[in-house]
Amino acid sequence: MTEIVIDKKKYVLLPQKEYEVLQKQAALKSKPEKTLTLQEARSYSKKLIGEWAKGK
């Protein structure tokens, strides 16, 4: 790991493998968004279409 200072800001350089490991760890900690069922998705899209149509 190497530190570089450019315009009074510190930046860190990592080897690509270390960076990929950090990305994997961060991805495992984040929670995925809720996936809608087909029924829920249809009703939600109809609701949005209705709101859009009112605005026209």
Side-chain angles (χ1 to χ4, degrees), residues 24-53:
K24 234 182 228 185
Q25 289 175 349
L28 292 173
K29 289 181 182 178
S30 67
K31 295 181 181 179
E33 290 184 20
K34 181 185 171 194
T35 305
L36 299 176
T37 64
L38 189 59
Q39 185 81 20
E40 291 171 333
R42 283 185 177 148
S43 63
Y44 181 68
S45 63
K46 286 180 182 180
K47 176 186 159 197
L48 289 178
I49 291 170
E51 290 176 10
W52 173 79

Side-chain angles (χ1 to χ4, degrees), residues 1 3 17-20 25 27 41 44-45:
M1 183 168 60
E3 286 187 12
K17 287 185 180 183
E18 286 183 34
Y19 176 71
E20 289 171 356
Q25 289 175 349
Y44 181 68
S45 63

